[in-house]
């Protein structure tokens, strides 16, 4: 599996370089060839929060279909200063419910195996403010050069392959001063049916995106043996499941992978908003489509507290980590093309300002140490 993933990623890099100097039509052809291999990435990105938020609408009839895998929270790394802050907050809290942070992973696992052994092509932090019912989404770019929680440094998506959700969560906590102990992992399948069950979603399509979107649809339709409806004009419009899935795959416009990640978060947000208005039957149909591809540590009580007032929840922030003004790209030796946080400490400070506005934060000694190590290991490779 690792060799297959590496071969696929090497192919992506070669084709991207060719596309940069090729005509638009050539770029479209390459994108079509690559789509099927990368479908799991976008399916995971889009389905994960929806699964976490609405999955238990049908828990009384579908619980057996969800693979619940509680994790040993004693194995989850949380930085010492973060633990101390947690304790202080618990002592001070009287009425506040606080935040619930969930790690959302998407893995390339068409065989249904959602644990260790496969890289997490998608990593999202979903931070839910239980008092204000606000949701914030932050994509951690899969090629970000970080400590894998075992003092080895590599692309952060390698943590899931090495140690499953426990190590991947520990990686996030150690590098970002977070306190995550829950996760949702989604594999291949379900996105098209999920969006169609919701009646489609409205998205703003740009002129430059149309040809790429339709070429991705063409390749998907040929692979699945189904028909598709081309998008014929730009502007805000209702996309069906096939169209929205293709939209998420676009990477040959300005912004490359960073813009693609934003498209995926935009579609995810649109699905959450549509789910709030959907009928129970539509939600059941959507959930049925994704249940076989979900593994989670969340239990009934965890999600019921959200579902009781799901209509009041809103996605209020969406961004990618490392932040645009705090990252550089570089080929780091045998690790390949990586996204490097110029200064991890500054990026983590900005992350906490986004997730917890108005809360005093000082980066931990662990984050300072990792920041210095990243700088030392990557300085010679930076552009």
């Amino acid at each position: 599996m690792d060799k297959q993933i590496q071969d696929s990623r090497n192919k992506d890099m070669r084709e991207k370089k060719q596309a940069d100097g090729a005509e638009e039509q050539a770029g479209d052809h390459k994108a079509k060839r690559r789509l099927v291999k990368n479908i799991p990435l976008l399916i995971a990105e889009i389905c994960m929060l929806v699964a976490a938020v609405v999955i238990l609408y049908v828990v009384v009839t579908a619980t057996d279909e969800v693979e619940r895998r509680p994790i040993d929270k004693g194995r989850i790394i949380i930085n010492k200063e973060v633990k101390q802050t947690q304790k202080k907050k618990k002592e001070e809290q009287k009425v506040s419910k606080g935040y619930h942070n969930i790690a959302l992973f998407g893995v390339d696992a068409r065989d249904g195996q959602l644990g260790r052994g496969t890289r997490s092509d998608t990593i999202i932090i979903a931070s839910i403010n239980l008092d204000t019912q606000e949701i914030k989404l932050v994509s951690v770019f899969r090629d970000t050069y970080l400590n894998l929680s075992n003092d080895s440094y590599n692309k952060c998506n390698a943590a899931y392959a090495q140690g499953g959700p426990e190590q991947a969560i520990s990686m996030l906590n150690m590098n970002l001063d977070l306190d995550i102990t829950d996760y949702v992992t989604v594999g291949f399948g379900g996105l098209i049916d999920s969006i169609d069950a919701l009646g489609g979603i409205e998205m703003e399509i740009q002129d430059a995106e149309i040809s790429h979107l339709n070429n991705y649809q063409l390749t998907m339709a040929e692979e699945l043996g189904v028909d598709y409806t081309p998008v014929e004009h730009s502007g805000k419009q209702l996309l069906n499941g096939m169209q929205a899935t293709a939209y998420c795959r676009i990477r040959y416009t300005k912004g490359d992978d960073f813009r693609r990640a934003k498209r995926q978060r935009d579609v995810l947000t649109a699905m959450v908003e549509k789910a709030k208005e959907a009928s129970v039957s539509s939600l059941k149909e959507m959930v049925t489509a994704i249940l076989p591809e979900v593994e989670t540590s969340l239990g009934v009580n965890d999600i019921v507290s959200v579902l009781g007032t799901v209509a009041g929840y809103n996605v209020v922030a969406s961004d990618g980590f490392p932040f645009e003004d705090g990252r550089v790209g570089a080929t780091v030796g045998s690790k390949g093309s990586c996204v490097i946080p110029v200064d991890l400490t500054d990026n983590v400070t900005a992350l906490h300002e986004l997730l917890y506005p108005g809360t005093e934060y000082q980066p931990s000694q662990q984050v300072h140490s990792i920041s210095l190590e990243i700088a030392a290991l990557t300085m010679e490779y930076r552009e």
Side-chain angles (χ1 to χ4, degrees):
M1 176 64 75
D2 288 342
K3 184 177 185 300
Q4 181 181 359
I5 294 171
Q6 186 61 49
D7 290 344
S8 177
R9 291 173 64 79
N10 289 340
K11 183 180 178 183
D12 282 353
M13 292 173 64
R14 291 196 300 270
E15 292 181 351
K16 179 63 172 68
K17 290 179 180 179
Q18 294 169 0
D20 287 340
E23 295 295 326
E24 183 81 6
Q25 184 177 359
D28 289 346
H29 185 62
K30 296 180 182 67
K32 290 190 292 182
R33 292 202 310 268
R34 189 167 53 252
L35 172 64
V36 174
K37 292 184 180 180
N38 289 319
I39 286 178
L41 186 154
L42 62 105
I43 287 179
E45 180 103 30
I46 304 308
C47 289
M48 285 183 296
L49 186 61
V50 175
V53 174
V54 306
I55 199 169
L56 288 190
Y57 260 113
V58 291
V59 69
V60 293
T61 58
T63 299
D64 290 342
E65 297 183 54
V66 183
E67 185 175 352
R68 183 171 183 243
R69 190 175 77 82
I71 54 180
D72 181 359
K73 295 186 178 181
R75 295 175 54 196
I76 300 298
I77 295 174
I78 299 177
N79 293 337
K80 180 176 65 175
E81 291 91 331
V82 177
K83 286 183 178 179
Q84 292 172 345
T85 301
Q86 280 182 325
K87 182 177 179 181
K88 182 178 179 181
K89 285 182 178 179
K90 288 181 180 179
E91 292 173 349
E92 294 176 348
Q93 282 178 350
K94 302 299 182 182
V95 180
S96 174
K97 298 177 182 178
Y99 294 87
H100 189 182
N101 295 326
I102 304 172
L104 310 176
F105 300 113
V107 298
D108 188 350
R110 305 186 189 192
D111 57 1
Q113 298 301 314
L114 303 179
R116 63 186 299 172
T118 182
R119 293 191 177 222
S120 51
D121 284 327
T122 300
I123 304 170
I124 300 179
I125 299 164
S127 182
I128 304 172
N129 187 323
L130 299 175
D131 295 306
T132 65
Q133 299 182 328
E134 294 177 336
I135 301 171
K136 296 179 181 179
L137 303 175
V138 178
S139 298
V140 179
F141 299 115
R142 59 182 180 171
D143 291 338
T144 306
Y145 190 81
L146 294 173
N147 188 319
L148 299 186
S149 80
N150 57 6
D151 291 330
S152 67
Y153 288 76
N154 204 332
K155 297 179 181 182
C156 65
N157 66 343
Y160 198 102
Q162 290 184 9
E166 288 91 349
Q167 183 171 339
I169 292 171
S170 292
M171 177 273 297
L172 293 173
N173 289 342
M174 179 182 284
N175 289 274
L176 308 181
D177 270 348
L178 295 174
D179 58 355
I180 301 170
T181 56
D182 282 312
Y183 78 100
V184 177
T185 295
V186 179
F188 176 73
L191 176 61
I192 294 174
D193 290 340
S194 296
I195 293 177
D196 285 339
L198 290 172
I201 56 174
E202 285 197 345
M203 301 301 300
E204 183 77 32
I205 305 300
Q206 305 298 320
D207 286 329
E209 296 171 330
I210 295 176
S211 62
H212 300 294
L213 190 159
N214 286 331
N215 276 308
Y216 279 124
Q217 283 203 89
L218 173 61
T219 302
M220 293 170 60
E222 290 175 347
E223 178 71 13
L224 299 173
V226 298
D227 295 327
Y228 75 97
T229 303
V231 171
E232 299 180 345
H233 60 85
S234 60
K236 190 171 185 178
Q237 55 197 285
L238 185 71
L239 300 185
N240 63 28
M242 181 77 77
Q243 293 166 337
T245 299
Y247 172 73
C248 290
R249 295 308 309 134
I250 300 172
R251 65 183 298 180
Y252 289 120
T253 59
K254 184 177 180 180
D256 295 330
D257 278 345
F258 302 115
R259 180 70 182 95
R260 177 176 62 176
K262 184 179 186 304
R263 288 189 187 95
Q264 293 164 358
R265 293 194 306 274
D266 289 345
V267 170
L268 175 58
T269 300
M271 289 184 71
V272 171
E273 291 303 309
K274 196 66 177 287
K276 295 193 307 185
E277 303 172 356
S279 67
V280 173
S281 60
S282 293
L283 288 172
K284 285 185 176 182
E285 184 178 346
M286 182 186 68
V287 171
T288 299
I290 62 177
L291 281 179
E293 300 295 332
V294 174
E295 177 182 290
T296 179
S297 62
L298 295 169
V300 174
N301 292 334
D302 296 322
I303 305 178
V304 164
S305 61
V306 175
L307 294 180
T309 54
V310 66
Y313 280 79
N314 295 290
V315 177
V316 297
S318 171
D319 214 323
F321 183 95
F323 296 101
E324 185 174 6
D325 59 354
R327 65 186 183 230
V328 294
T331 299
V332 183
S334 62
K335 305 298 190 297
S337 180
C338 297
V339 177
I340 301 171
V342 175
D343 185 289
L344 181 65
T345 302
D346 289 346
N347 270 283
V348 174
T349 300
L351 174 66
H352 281 253
E353 290 174 351
L354 172 65
L355 297 181
Y356 317 116
T359 301
E360 186 176 330
Y361 168 72
Q362 292 293 328
S364 68
Q365 184 57 50
Q366 182 72 74
V367 168
H368 280 297
S369 297
I370 294 174
S371 185
L372 291 173
E373 188 69 10
I374 290 174
L377 292 171
T378 63
M379 189 59 67
E380 64 178 297
Y381 302 106
R382 298 191 189 191
E383 298 177 351

